[in-house]
């Protein structure tokens, strides 16, 4: 099936990392890659191509969700609703790493899965006692001397990133020395560190230790000042907002914090925390609406889930519609640059040129 050629015609394609609209486009997929892309005046349709007529619709790169717990949903539901790559940020290693391995096959009916494996935490800390987390979702690290072994173990199992927890309301947290030892062990192995970081005290600790990413905008209701947002941006800390899982005062705080971080030039990468209450499988309408409320433009929202996400996750030839890229393509109804709600109206999805069923 991956050897077949498909031509999508008539849609507006958002081309390249800058999402340049090309009207009445022809996008051709062959052997899992985009083999031709341009205006219908410039691109010939091969005689053997299976044609998909898509007038009035928009072609976007498949969404990348940088924070999920894929074990809560059938992977095909996630793919079918427009997400072609996910990063799982905590699940028992004996389940998630084999699943991530299987997901590499182009015919896999689900997104490509990158995984952190277990979350590194203090003994008894989050998520070892969390109701949602199956046993093995947390990996306890009791001191700096255990850091390298723990990081080495998850790296060997297949971790693409190291997840840590600094979540005082849910139990003890990693001390400064242990956190620093984890971060340096990760960086020595070319892994970045992402964190569940609760409030301002934990954020300062994470920045001091060199944590690369917030897996959520701060939880709780602490306010990140413009100065602190500028420090985060200057130190190249990336934020995965996960707004969809919040409500009330915590949502309000997260919206303000995200707005100030984005205004400071910080890198925002789309992520929903799928598996937690509030997030839905696939391109998440609520997350998108809330990112807009925080002040991100439609183009910034799309970029955060495509080109910026691929760059941040080190994914080559993904997150972009261009010749040579993986044919991870989503067809939606309407114009998402005019109205980001269109992103939730997924008509058809291809991963590696193969239609999602
Ligand atoms: Zn999560």
């Amino acid at each position: 099936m991956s050897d077949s050629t498909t031509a999508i015609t008539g849609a507006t394609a958002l081309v390249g990392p800058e999402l340049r609209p090309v009207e009445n486009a022809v996008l051709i997929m062959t052997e899992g890659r985009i083999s031709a892309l341009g205006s219908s005046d410039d691109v010939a349709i091969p005689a053997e191509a299976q044609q998909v007529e898509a007038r009035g619709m928009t072609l976007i790169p498949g969404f990348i969700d940088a924070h999920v717990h894929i074990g809560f949903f059938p992977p095909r539901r996630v793919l079918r609703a427009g997400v072609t790559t996910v990063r799982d940020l905590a699940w028992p290693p004996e389940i998630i790493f084999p699943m991530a391995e299987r997901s590499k096959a182009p015919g896999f009916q689900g997104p490509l899965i990158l995984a952190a494996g277990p979350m590194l935490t203090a003994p008894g800390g989050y998520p070892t006692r969390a109701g949602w987390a199956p046993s093995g979702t947390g990996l306890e690290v009791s001191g700096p001397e255990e850091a390298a072994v723990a990081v080495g173990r998850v790296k060997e199992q297949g971790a693409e990133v190291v997840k840590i927890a600094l979540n005082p309301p849910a139990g003890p947290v990693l001390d400064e020395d242990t956190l620093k030892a984890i971060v340096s062990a990760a960086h020595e192995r070319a892994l970045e560190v992402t964190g569940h970081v609760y409030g301002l005290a934990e954020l300062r600790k994470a920045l001091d230790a060199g944590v690369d990413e917030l897996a959520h905008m701060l939880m709780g209701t602490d306010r990140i000042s413009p100065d602190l947002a500028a420090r985060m941006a200057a130190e190249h800390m990336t934020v995965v907002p996960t707004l969809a899982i919040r409500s009330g005062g915590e949502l309000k705080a997260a919206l303000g914090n995200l707005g100030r971080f984005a205004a400071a030039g910080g890198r925002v990468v789309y992520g929903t925390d799928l598996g937690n209450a509030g997030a839905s499988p696939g391109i998440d309408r609520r997350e998108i609406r809330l990112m807009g409320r925080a002040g991100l433009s439609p183009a910034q929202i799309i970029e955060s889930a495509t080109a910026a996400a691929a760059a941040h996750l080190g994914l080559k030839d993904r997150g972009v519609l261009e010749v040579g890229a993986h044919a991870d393509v989503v067809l939606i109804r309407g114009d998402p640059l005019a109205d980001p709600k269109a992103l939730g109206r997924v008509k058809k999805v291809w991963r590696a040129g193969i239609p999602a069923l």
Side-chain angles (χ1 to χ4, degrees):
M1 201 164 179
S2 60
D3 290 344
S4 72
T5 295
T6 304
I8 307 168
T9 61
T12 297
L14 303 186
V15 174
E18 69 284 4
L19 303 168
R20 179 171 49 88
V22 172
E23 288 177 14
N24 196 13
V26 174
L27 184 151
I28 298 179
M29 303 183 280
T30 312
E31 292 178 359
R33 299 268 177 166
I34 297 173
S35 55
L37 173 59
S39 139
S40 62
D41 299 334
D42 304 328
V43 178
I45 299 170
E48 74 278 13
Q50 194 188 341
Q51 287 200 41
V52 177
E53 162 56 46
R55 218 169 312 160
M57 294 188 239
T58 304
L59 281 167
I60 61 170
F63 257 44
I64 298 167
D65 187 334
H67 189 154
V68 304
H69 302 275
I70 191 76
F72 285 107
F73 288 94
R76 71 169 61 231
R77 276 188 67 192
V78 175
L79 178 65
R80 216 164 44 192
V83 172
T84 54
T85 301
V86 297
R87 187 179 57 165
D88 189 283
L89 287 187
W91 205 249
E94 68 278 12
I95 302 170
I96 195 63
F97 289 124
M99 192 193 270
E101 195 55 40
R102 286 197 302 280
S103 79
K104 290 178 185 166
F108 180 73
Q109 278 297 319
L112 175 67
I113 300 168
L114 314 176
M119 199 182 316
L120 274 51
T121 191
Y126 182 79
T128 59
R129 290 178 292 194
W132 64 267
S135 162
T137 302
L139 175 58
E140 295 172 335
V141 183
S142 58
E145 66 286 352
E146 289 187 7
V149 174
V151 171
R153 169 142 51 121
V154 294
K155 164 88 181 183
E156 197 173 305
Q157 288 171 323
E160 302 271 358
V161 66
V162 172
K163 170 99 178 268
I164 58 101
L166 296 175
N167 189 19
V173 299
L174 297 163
D175 63 58
E176 248 167 72
D177 290 344
T178 307
L179 180 61
K180 283 182 178 158
I182 289 171
V183 172
S184 42
H187 289 173
E188 276 165 24
R189 290 163 179 79
L191 291 173
E192 293 208 337
V193 179
T194 184
H196 180 121
V197 174
Y198 182 77
L200 282 178
E202 292 73 37
L203 173 57
R204 294 208 175 87
K205 191 167 165 180
L207 280 164
D208 290 345
V211 169
D212 304 283
E213 178 195 297
L214 299 187
H216 308 271
M217 181 41 91
L218 294 189
M219 310 301 269
T221 55
D222 282 357
R223 179 182 187 275
I224 297 175
S225 69
D227 281 355
L228 186 54
R231 179 184 168 195
M232 293 164 72
E235 296 184 13
H236 305 290
M237 181 177 256
T238 297
V239 172
V240 180
T242 74
L243 302 170
I245 59 165
R246 308 165 197 249
S247 57
E250 297 194 351
L251 174 59
K252 201 173 163 221
L255 291 172
N257 287 338
L258 182 62
R260 284 183 292 279
F261 176 71
R267 173 146 76 177
V268 177
V269 167
Y270 175 88
T272 61
D273 203 8
L274 179 68
N276 250 295
S280 338
I283 298 178
D284 190 294
R285 295 165 198 233
R286 180 167 151 80
E287 187 70 28
I288 285 161
R289 181 164 51 80
L290 293 172
M291 289 174 89
R293 254 176 72 189
L296 277 78
S297 70
Q300 280 177 309
I301 295 170
I302 300 170
E303 192 200 354
S304 80
T306 56
H312 177 57
L313 301 183
L315 293 166
K316 210 171 158 286
D317 301 333
R318 290 186 202 274
V320 69
L321 298 183
E322 63 191 13
V323 172
H326 290 278
D328 294 352
V329 175
V330 176
L331 187 59
I332 57 175
R333 285 182 248 257
D335 174 4
L337 291 175
D339 176 13
K341 281 203 290 291
L343 293 166
R345 297 196 283 267
V346 172
K347 170 78 177 162
K348 205 163 170 58
V349 179
W350 292 262
R351 186 187 150 201
I354 300 172
L357 302 173

